[in-house]
Amino acid sequence: MRKVILTTLALTLTASAFWPGGGVKVVQTPESISNPQMVYLEDGSVIISWEADRLIYCQKLDTTGVIHWDASGVRVCLSDSNQLDHHMVTDGQDVWFVWQDERNDDGDIYAQKISGSTGQRLWGDLGKAVCVKNGTQRLQTCTVLSSGSFVATWDDYSVDPRDIASQWLNVTGQPQWGPDGIYVTRGTGGGYKPKALPSGEAVLDIWLGVRSGDTVGAYFAQRVNSDGDFLWDTMGVRVEFISTPYAECSDGLGGAVVLFGNPGYLGVQRIDSTGQVVWDSGGVKITEFTRNNPQTNQSPYPEPDWNGIISDDTGGCFVWSGFDVQHINSNGNLVWGSSSVPYWESDGLTYRLAATRLCPDGNNGLMIVFDNLEWTSPEWPPYVDQGIRVQRINADGEIVFDTNGIIVRLWNPDSLPGGDFNTSVNAVPGGVILAWTDNRHLPDYSLYAQIVDTTGKVGSGIEEKPLPTLHPSLELNATLIAKNISLRYSLPAGQAAILQLFDVSGRLVRSQRVDQPSGKINWNVHDLSSGVYFAELRAAGARVSRKVVVIK
């Protein structure tokens, strides 16, 4: 069965550059591809990661969809041990990875930092240990703060009841909370399925648990500073009693919003950065969503896999459930009315499945990506795969594209459809980029990416952002080099810089300090092998890089 995995990312688009109509091939490999993720960098490029043969890889695409690193991708960790269930986050310049690692024969947690410009492994070839204590640790989530610090959170199965633990790594990858991290839920009766969210220069942990005397479970939250101190009640703050947990996201203001099911309704609740539960007990009820369970249409609330939530970055959230979407603002009001907005129209007796992912469109609306399967009967299967589609809902809750969205990729009718969907969403105004596993190179597996802008144009390209005038600049005499690289640079006044040359594996091959406001550096490359290299200039907390191809 063809396994389709989507990942989506909103970004800024223009018509000045174009990706192929069939998408950009990110990688082709004989190994099965899983868990693709994507982040957007400040220079307008994207980093896409995936797992293959229990190893983690990543690749960089520039503003025109051109592959920058080795064709097979950059390995995040060179250990031969199994590396599973990775998460990737960014500060806009570099990318952080954390994963489940089996090099010590049990479930440990390791992390890595990759240069967003060169793909260099900045924390060594084997990564940094986050937690290597005896017993099994199950990674759940991670986040990066504006300071460049990195926080990972996981379920610790070595204690009973199982607890939630976190570790804070500084910019060099050194653990700050002891060798094994700190317990967020110790003494509270335990917890599970945590999520770490940025909250200023602290981390906000959300988890599920049942306290002594309670008859149902609840969402709980705790805010922890860089010293590992709890900023709220040591037992955590109860956010909401729930029957079924669905998803969590930041509220964009240092707090969080949770999505849950209770008998008869779907609900959301918000906790702010001070630990105060904002909306009424029971949360904001979105009862209209209950009619849209795509599988049975009988459950009092939809199944967990058919719901999702993202932040609107102003204290509210966007929610999808079944076939519908809704916007809830910071006051807990349903922005798009009591009747939610369907992102496609049902056609009577036909049963449809939408594995949905959301991105903000940059104008208080949504870009919606989904894989559309159409049933010819209520049974599972038979059904017909209608391919990947994209829909847009504007700030007023109006459908912008065709009723059932625009088609990005139609599947081969001779292949078996099916899907297992994962996503990573990061937004800037202008459109959406999506990546999927594809069957066009069978028996090999492949990963493709494509762009859709807010007008519905497929393959529109990413806007290349000009560097601010206070940032360093770097110019090459030519992109194709046979003997000498000539690099002309300029720096902000009073700033020193370092100019370096890396190969595609991230190995440093040239380095020179520069302290004049402008000048030219010449490097002889007679000793370098033919291939792709990256020149990088760093100054004033900024960086700029240029690709060089050495030809002998």
Side-chain angles (χ1 to χ4, degrees), residues 331-409:
N331 295 320
N333 299 321
L334 304 181
V335 178
W336 292 338
S338 59
S339 296
S340 52
V341 178
Y343 57 87
W344 84 54
E345 295 293 336
S346 180
D347 57 358
L349 297 178
T350 299
Y351 289 74
R352 286 179 173 173
L353 161 67
T356 304
R357 302 294 177 258
L358 307 181
C359 288
D361 70 353
N363 291 293
N364 297 314
L366 284 175
M367 299 286 284
I368 307 170
V369 179
F370 55 98
D371 191 67
N372 184 15
L373 305 181
E374 183 175 294
W375 270 264
T376 55
S377 77
E379 303 299 323
W380 175 296
Y383 51 86
V384 179
D385 195 333
Q386 298 295 315
I388 300 173
R389 296 175 183 243
V390 176
Q391 181 60 274
R392 182 185 174 200
I393 309 295
N394 67 20
D396 296 322
E398 300 167 335
I399 292 177
V400 177
F401 301 158
D402 292 340
T403 301
N404 288 322
I406 58 173
I407 296 173
V408 176
R409 170 75 167 127

Side-chain angles (χ1 to χ4, degrees), residues 140 154-155 157 162-164 185 189-195 206-210 217-219 242-243 245:
Q140 293 291 341
W154 63 92
D155 284 328
Y157 284 78
R162 78 181 185 206
D163 256 321
I164 294 168
T185 54
Y192 60 102
K193 289 187 177 180
K195 181 146 188 184
I206 297 281
W207 71 90
L208 299 166
V210 180
Y219 272 112
I242 62 163
S243 295

